[in-house]
Amino acid sequence: MSQLRKDMATSGVPEVTWRKSRRSNPSGNCVELAGLSGGGIAVRNSRHPRGPMLSYPRAELAAFIQGIKDGEFDKVTGRVTETR
């Protein structure tokens, strides 16, 4: 089970480098990721850089990203992919 940290403000995470996808849109509907010293990954809303963040173990976030690449969430997003 992941360790979700809704209560932790990003200002309480010292010296991390936040990264946003180059595919982010100019309206600010983006998330940013940062590697944490304990090996986890922090996620925050780019519109609220001092707001709350979530943190996940690296393996769980890697599995989520692989699921996205594999099209496992296409029905949720309404995206249609080609059949492989």
Side-chain angles (χ1 to χ4, degrees):
M1 166 94 43
S2 64
Q3 297 176 343
L4 299 177
R5 297 288 308 269
K6 292 182 189 177
D7 59 332
M8 187 170 195
T10 57
S11 59
V13 180
E15 300 184 34
V16 297
T17 301
W18 291 96
R19 298 183 59 131
K20 184 171 31 173
S21 170
R22 67 179 180 272
R23 294 182 182 216
S24 296
N25 62 42
S27 66
N29 294 326
C30 309
V31 296
E32 295 176 315
L33 304 176
L36 299 174
S37 61
I41 303 291
V43 181
R44 73 178 182 185
N45 183 332
S46 64
R47 286 183 286 167
H48 305 287
R50 296 199 182 276
M53 63 168 234
L54 301 172
S55 65
Y56 298 92
R58 188 172 296 272
E60 286 189 17
L61 195 57
F64 177 69
I65 291 170
Q66 188 61 52
I68 292 169
K69 290 178 180 180
D70 291 343
E72 293 177 21
F73 303 103
D74 289 352
K75 281 188 175 183
V76 175
T77 63
R79 186 172 158 225
V80 178
T81 57
E82 295 179 21
T83 308
R84 297 179 189 171

